[in-house]
Amino acid sequence: MNSLPALVRDRQICVCVGAGGVGKTTVAAALALEAARRGRRTCVITIDPARRLADALGVATLDNQPRRLAGDRQSELGIGDAGGLWAMMLDMKSTFDDLVERFAPDAEARERILHNPIYQHVSDALAGSAEYSAMEKVYELAEGKEFDLIVVDTPPSQHALDFLEAPQRLIEFLDSRLVRMLVHPAFAAGRFGFRVFQRGAQRVLKLIERVSGVGFLEDVSDFLLAIEGMSEGFRERATRVRSLLLGSGSAFVLVSGPQRRSLDDAERFLARLEQTGVPLAGVVVNRVRGWPDGGAPPRQVPDGASRPEAEAALARALAARGGEGFPAEDAARAAVDCVDRYASSVRRDLEVTEPLVEGSRRAGRFAVRVPELAGDVHDLEGLVGVAAHLFPDPDGR
Amino acid sequence: MSGPGQTLLERRLVIVTGKGGTGKSSVVATLALAGAQHGLRVAVVEVGLEEQIPGLFDPAAPPVGYPGREIHPGVTALRIDPYAALAEYLGLQIGVRGVVDLVFRNRAFRQLMDATPGWRELITLGKVWHLEQMRRDDGSPTYDLVLVDAPATGHGLTFLDVPRVAVSAVRMGPLRRHSGWVEEMIRDTQRTLLLPVALAEELPARETAELVERVREETGVAIDRVVVNAVAPAPFPSGLDDLDRHLAALPAETPLPGLPGPPVLAACAAHMRARHELNRHHLAEIARDTGLPLLVLPQLPEGVRNVADLARLAGPLLAAPEARAA
């Protein structure tokens, strides 16, 4: 049975996925914090945390190095000697450069790639490469075996699983015959059976050249030639990263918000995750407006008395306290109105998030609602508050 | 001179950008409706995979696709499919549609294009340029106002930067020339405006400040106001700002027929007040960090569902933006 306590106890990798703006970073950080408090050496990899949260985690710089939280902070947070909390802010651009450094066959090829004008423009934009870089880093840390658990916050992306699919696209691209043609035109032309293709490809190349002008294709071809040597190592590595992420040591957590749009995105993510065979452990619905005592909101406000009756009783109570000149009747009306509006927003959030929550539980996954808090989460105390909602039952600590 | 003195409807091209979830599409749809109500012929361009705009006018609207359809009197919507736009462009360049079709059927060509970054943005902006340039027989613009629902902020800037990159990466030829035209349009501060949409929340506020800073430093695209969407009204009437404290001061056991006890009432009120104060804090932060006037759009209780909801937002969107002292 999937549960968050089991996840932070047993898994080695936890990947938080979901659309942008739902509080994925906060959830990832709170999960990591709780895992550390439960005695695991945990590293949280964040992509783009709010400044103050980054400061609180001690990772204000993009240096791609896990930083351990200061010892006194750890003990204040109840992180014992067995556990530990590290955080790292990912610089995706430099990780992609690292990739080139690692897989370029020799120093000359490496320099040619890094200085090629095409590379300089594409490395940020290469479809999904940023997302993939994040996973590269996860693999590297997992291989290092320094941590019991690595929690990853994924970049917001329109395509749910860019980080899994990007390497495949890159490999297909490197392997495509058109690319071979650009890199080794003579080789491709000399092969029997490539003739039909060749005519098509030459037409394509002519067309590109006609529109883009001479010179552009030379840069492209030079770039491709340079990265071709990377292809083998990259392919092997990408395969290993994929099996690590889809393996039994990994768990994916889908994070959503209660807004209609966010829930639609979550449904789409869910379909994609299931299709890809991702080990989805459960769903966190973040910032759901909750009723103050934690129970169910009233069906209506007022409930069981008429509005004038309720307002009059409240006005009497307020007048008795408010002193002379206090507009008790206006205050009572405003209070009933405000509580009525809040109760209906709580009911609405419960209702619209129910299909996602129920569906997740039916599929044997966990589903947790985290209430909207009164303020932004930008310090470790705030994370402790979020963790308390993610792990309502303090077992295991 | 560009500036808040020029209304949103006096531009030729407004590119609306913002973090996912800020309600960027409803701002685009509202602006389109407002334009049409002022007698303008408006083209609305979407670039994402999912069409949002037609559904905001009419939840039952079928997709418009490419080349698009009039979805409301005076409002034509289209979703730019980069491949369709590329085929159109290459058809114009080559003149022989059959050659283009042949090339598009080539699997390797698709693979190459799938993996090549930048061209989608370039061809999309090229199509936007084309819409802006289109003329009727009498020489007047086919569309008085072109609105673009741009990708989410981070990508939004990359999007606008692509023509410049193309001009620098391509040394000669038609692509370079055409990229130059697109580039010129984007930087024309009289014609084009970048309109960021934010929420009065922490991350969108910060992203908006970063966006404005980068636009100023890197692109030179006109940016003169920020839309802050879905701002909740004050929870209590004025003069009763500390209502939650009055409720909290009541004895917990006060009998209130039909109502939860005073502690629950006070907690609801306190939560609403705290969220409202947080909103105001982030509004002030956006104004301070961007140095730009704000257009504050009210939160609609059920979100934006149809053309009547858009009409409710049109007034505030066309209002003179508020300069806010932080």
Side-chain angles (χ1 to χ4, degrees):
Chain A
M1 184 59 199
N2 282 303
S3 73
L4 271 176
L7 188 158
V8 299
R9 186 185 64 225
D10 301 331
R11 307 294 177 108
Q12 287 80 54
I13 292 171
C14 170
V15 185
C16 295
V17 294
V22 296
K24 223 173 359 176
T25 305
T26 307
V27 169
L31 283 178
L33 171 68
E34 188 61 26
R37 294 165 86 186
R38 292 176 184 224
R40 299 192 82 201
R41 297 165 61 84
T42 309
C43 180
V44 56
I45 302 181
T46 72
I47 307 294
D48 191 20
R51 168 102 274 148
R52 285 180 298 179
L53 184 58
D55 288 344
L57 288 167
V59 287
T61 48
L62 280 167
D63 61 359
N64 267 345
Q65 288 299 319
R67 300 268 170 223
R68 189 172 192 164
L69 202 65
D72 50 337
R73 294 299 286 135
Q74 302 218 47
S75 36
E76 280 167 38
L77 293 166
I79 300 173
D81 291 339
L85 182 60
W86 283 256
M88 188 184 101
M89 188 150 70
L90 194 68
D91 178 355
M92 295 192 282
K93 167 75 178 167
S94 104
T95 311
F96 200 73
D97 287 351
D98 291 350
L99 220 59
V100 173
E101 303 257 342
R102 178 149 3 95
F103 294 118
D106 53 56
E108 194 214 346
R110 185 178 66 223
E111 289 307 300
R112 266 175 62 209
I113 296 172
L114 295 176
H115 291 107
N116 182 290
I118 303 293
Y119 172 75
Q120 287 169 10
H121 294 308
V122 303
S123 65
D124 326 312
L126 203 56
S129 70
E131 286 79 2
Y132 176 68
S133 302
M135 295 307 129
E136 255 293 317
K137 195 72 200 178
V138 175
Y139 180 80
E140 198 184 301
L141 291 179
E143 284 291 279
K145 305 221 181 296
E146 194 188 335
F147 304 108
D148 302 324
L149 174 65
I150 300 165
V151 182
V152 202
D153 168 25
T154 52
S157 98
Q158 194 174 18
H159 309 278
L161 294 172
D162 262 349
F163 60 86
L164 274 179
E165 289 157 3
Q168 195 52 38
R169 278 204 297 272
L170 192 61
I171 287 168
E172 271 174 26
F173 170 57
L174 290 173
D175 284 350
S176 76
R177 287 181 294 179
L178 191 68
V179 170
R180 302 236 161 258
M181 180 90 189
L182 277 169
V183 177
H184 303 296
F187 169 75
R191 290 273 295 275
F192 179 76
F194 275 75
R195 288 242 301 280
V196 177
F197 163 74
Q198 191 197 331
R199 234 178 303 152
Q202 270 175 354
R203 207 179 271 128
V204 173
L205 295 184
K206 274 222 179 80
L207 180 71
I208 294 176
E209 188 122 329
R210 184 153 156 196
V211 176
S212 70
V214 192
F216 178 67
L217 273 186
E218 279 166 28
D219 287 342
V220 172
S221 160
D222 193 50
F223 169 61
L224 293 173
L225 193 59
I227 64 170
E228 201 207 9
M230 286 175 55
S231 165
E232 216 26 65
F234 180 79
R235 181 202 316 272
E236 199 207 330
R237 173 86 162 195
T239 310
R240 276 188 281 151
V241 170
R242 195 182 164 88
S243 39
L244 175 75
L245 291 174
L246 299 184
S248 58
S250 298
F252 280 58
V253 174
L254 176 63
V255 185
S256 176
Q259 302 80 9
R260 212 181 322 146
R261 199 197 118 107
S262 168
L263 292 164
D264 288 348
D265 284 344
E267 292 294 341
R268 266 201 299 278
F269 262 85
L270 208 57
R272 291 290 290 125
L273 291 168
E274 285 176 344
Q275 211 181 348
T276 317
V278 158
L280 181 65
V283 175
V284 172
V285 193
N286 198 18
R287 298 199 201 117
V288 179
R289 284 167 290 193
W291 195 242
D293 59 12
R299 285 168 304 160
Q300 55 190 24
V301 176
D303 189 9
S306 74
R307 200 169 181 111
E309 241 180 295
E311 283 178 6
L314 183 57
R316 276 194 302 276
L318 285 167
R321 284 252 149 194
E324 206 168 320
F326 180 72
E329 284 179 16
D330 292 348
R333 199 173 315 119
V336 172
D337 187 50
C338 139
V339 173
D340 184 17
R341 268 184 293 143
Y342 190 66
S344 78
S345 63
V346 171
R347 286 194 303 270
R348 180 240 166 239
D349 280 5
L350 262 181
E351 190 185 307
V352 296
T353 56
E354 194 57 19
L356 184 62
V357 166
E358 259 314 297
S360 185
R361 289 183 181 148
R362 262 201 315 276
R365 302 175 184 132
F366 66 80
V368 185
R369 288 186 180 94
V370 177
E372 177 185 70
L373 306 174
D376 296 325
V377 176
H378 48 67
D379 54 20
L380 296 167
E381 285 66 31
L383 288 181
V384 170
V386 175
H389 292 289
L390 288 169
F391 299 85
D393 180 10
D395 285 3
R397 280 231 304 276
Chain B
M1 202 36 226
S2 77
Q6 200 176 356
T7 77
L8 290 173
L9 301 181
E10 284 162 11
R11 311 279 178 160
R12 292 298 320 282
L13 172 62
V14 178
I15 299 168
V16 182
T17 185
K19 200 177 160 66
T22 53
K24 189 167 52 81
S25 299
S26 44
V27 171
V28 174
T30 303
L31 196 51
L33 179 69
Q37 285 171 342
H38 281 75
L40 301 182
R41 293 171 292 214
V42 185
V44 183
V45 172
E46 290 193 77
V47 300
L49 294 173
E50 315 266 334
E51 285 182 18
Q52 310 280 342
I53 305 286
L56 290 170
F57 278 84
D58 171 12
V64 294
Y66 188 82
R69 194 179 69 233
E70 188 168 57
I71 55 168
H72 184 83
V75 180
T76 299
L78 70 153
R79 186 181 76 81
I80 296 188
D81 168 24
Y83 278 104
L86 182 64
E88 188 185 6
Y89 174 72
L90 292 177
L92 290 171
Q93 292 303 305
I94 312 291
V96 189
R97 187 64 209 221
V99 173
V100 176
D101 290 344
L102 259 179
V103 168
F104 269 68
R105 277 205 294 273
N106 185 312
R107 211 173 96 80
F109 173 75
R110 289 299 277 236
Q111 281 178 348
L112 177 72
M113 294 315 284
D114 280 347
T116 306
W119 71 269
R120 290 175 188 79
E121 291 83 354
L122 190 58
I123 201 77
T124 301
L125 285 169
K127 177 69 184 177
V128 169
W129 177 85
H130 183 67
L131 290 167
E132 195 254 9
Q133 291 289 308
M134 280 166 69
R135 292 292 181 269
R136 290 167 192 259
D137 292 341
D138 64 2
S140 68
T142 306
Y143 299 108
D144 303 302
L145 177 65
V146 179
L147 303 175
V148 180
D149 189 348
T153 19
H155 297 113
L157 264 197
T158 317
F159 176 71
L160 293 181
D161 203 33
V162 164
R164 189 188 60 77
V165 170
V167 169
S168 72
V170 180
R171 283 170 244 162
M172 59 180 99
L175 184 61
R176 185 195 163 95
R177 196 165 61 248
H178 299 157
S179 303
W181 292 343
V182 173
E183 171 72 351
E184 193 181 303
M185 168 186 74
I186 290 174
R187 283 166 194 268
D188 183 338
T189 57
Q190 294 292 303
R191 265 200 292 179
T192 301
L193 180 76
L194 184 68
L195 183 65
V197 181
L199 295 176
E201 291 177 11
E202 186 175 26
L203 284 175
R206 185 176 59 108
E207 278 217 4
T208 305
E210 286 169 3
L211 171 84
V212 171
E213 193 184 326
R214 283 188 54 199
V215 168
R216 286 187 176 136
E217 281 174 5
E218 296 170 22
T219 67
V221 179
I223 187 165
D224 68 3
R225 70 197 84 191
V226 175
V227 175
V228 187
N229 199 14
V231 176
F236 319 131
S238 60
L240 287 169
D241 302 324
D242 52 355
L243 182 57
D244 57 309
R245 298 205 180 103
H246 287 282
L247 293 168
L250 297 178
E253 304 308 320
T254 310
L256 298 172
L259 294 177
V264 169
L265 296 182
C268 289
H271 186 80
M272 288 179 81
R273 183 163 76 125
R275 295 303 301 184
H276 181 66
E277 281 171 1
L278 202 59
N279 268 305
R280 294 183 55 81
H281 166 77
H282 291 306
L283 275 173
E285 197 177 16
I286 297 170
R288 185 194 64 219
D289 293 350
T290 62
L292 292 173
L294 308 182
L295 281 169
V296 178
L297 301 189
Q299 180 179 50
L300 302 183
E302 285 303 311
V304 177
R305 296 158 304 176
N306 50 38
V307 74
D309 289 337
L310 295 177
R312 290 166 70 185
L313 297 175
L317 187 59
L318 292 188
E322 297 169 53
R324 275 176 188 251

